[in-house]
Amino acid sequence: DVKVTQSSRYLVKRTGEKVFLECVQDMDHENMFWYRQDPGLGLRLIYFSYDVKMKEKGDIPEGYSVSREKKERFSLILESASTNQTSMYLCASSAGGLNTEAFFGQGTRLTVV
Amino acid sequence: RKEVEQDPGPFNVPEGATVAFNCTYSNSASQSFFWYRQDCRKEPKLLMSVYSSGNEDGRFTAQLNRASQYISLLIRDSKLSDSATYLCVVFGNKLIFGAGTRLAVHP
């Protein structure tokens, strides 16, 4: 069974803090993605990566950065957390190629106060 | 304009009904298409891929119309357990999700 694990289910952080969200997958997948999900807006792509040390901006990268030093791990970094980054964050991975299934982690609900 | 658009619903249908969802996408270079299902407070999971020739999986039928850039999902003989949010997903150079269509099946 493919497993995508996010380090925390719930996080509460203060405005201005630097926040790290970690995601690890155990299926040697090339592709990894970070989304945020908000009511009425669905899943919006923040960043994605097709290979180690490679990253591409998604649709809403502002205020975020990512790191992929190892194939299995894709980290999302909030450089200076703000209240409008309160959201559900979902990590996904998929094998290389076009028609491959994406597997999701259980999500991290981040609240910035 | 959003890259992937769906009617948010909710669609409220009785058990046994047939219900159809549509989704449109803007990037004509998109190459792969999927329907995902998301239950309340859970992560999305793949329901089915969508192929150009159309494909069926039990009560579920997916269709792709490349000329009009839309994808459809038909659910026949709806069950209570089909209640969920259905997400249209398009892969061009990145994996883009629609906002989802909520389905509620009632007895």
Side-chain angles (χ1 to χ4, degrees):
Chain A
D1 246 10
V2 174
K3 199 161 184 186
V4 180
T5 304
Q6 294 183 228
S7 51
S8 305
R9 290 296 301 271
Y10 301 94
L11 272 180
V12 180
K13 296 291 181 180
R14 293 193 181 279
T15 300
E17 275 193 80
K18 191 168 186 175
V19 181
F20 293 86
L21 301 183
E22 306 287 348
C23 175
V24 177
Q25 49 94 2
D26 66 359
M27 282 302 291
D28 202 35
H29 282 169
E30 285 82 5
N31 307 329
M32 296 190 76
F33 307 86
W34 273 108
Y35 295 86
R36 63 178 282 176
Q37 186 171 29
D38 301 286
L41 298 176
L43 279 81
R44 292 181 291 165
L45 182 63
I46 304 171
Y47 269 96
F48 59 103
S49 169
Y50 291 149
D51 203 352
V52 177
K53 296 192 188 293
M54 175 269 177
K55 59 185 178 184
E56 292 280 349
K57 291 181 180 178
D59 298 317
I60 51 163
E62 297 79 18
Y64 304 94
S65 62
V66 289
S67 171
R68 194 165 180 201
E69 295 296 317
K70 294 186 177 181
K71 192 174 185 180
E72 67 269 19
R73 186 181 296 269
F74 192 34
S75 303
L76 180 69
I77 303 150
L78 285 67
E79 298 291 342
S80 176
S82 63
T83 54
N84 64 11
Q85 292 179 310
T86 291
S87 187
M88 170 66 82
Y89 289 87
L90 287 157
C91 173
S93 75
S94 69
L98 298 174
N99 209 28
T100 58
E101 179 178 356
F103 294 87
F104 282 83
Q106 77 276 29
T108 297
R109 181 160 295 282
L110 172 67
T111 302
V112 183
V113 298
Chain B
R1 184 187 169 189
K2 290 183 182 176
E3 288 189 66
V4 179
E5 297 212 56
Q6 296 180 248
D7 180 343
F11 285 62
N12 293 302
V13 303
E15 275 186 290
T18 295
V19 61
F21 307 137
N22 289 326
C23 164
T24 59
Y25 61 96
S26 60
N27 183 359
S28 59
S30 298
Q31 299 175 70
S32 303
F33 308 89
F34 310 89
W35 283 101
Y36 276 68
R37 170 192 169 128
Q38 186 173 24
D39 294 300
C40 190
R41 302 185 190 282
K42 298 281 191 179
E43 70 274 20
K45 292 187 178 178
L46 179 68
L47 177 66
M48 58 196 303
S49 300
V50 187
Y51 303 116
S52 297
S53 53
N55 48 301
E56 191 173 305
D57 183 2
R59 298 181 293 108
F60 298 84
T61 301
Q63 297 273 358
L64 167 65
N65 184 319
R66 283 189 184 270
S68 302
Q69 294 182 208
Y70 82 78
I71 307 151
S72 64
L73 177 68
L74 182 78
I75 305 175
R76 289 181 299 278
D77 189 23
S78 298
K79 311 290 184 193
L80 295 175
S81 57
D82 293 334
S83 298
T85 297
Y86 291 83
L87 303 165
C88 172
V89 184
V90 174
F91 191 101
N93 62 339
K94 52 189 177 179
L95 197 62
I96 299 296
F97 283 72
T101 299
R102 197 150 56 88
L103 172 66
V105 182
H106 57 83

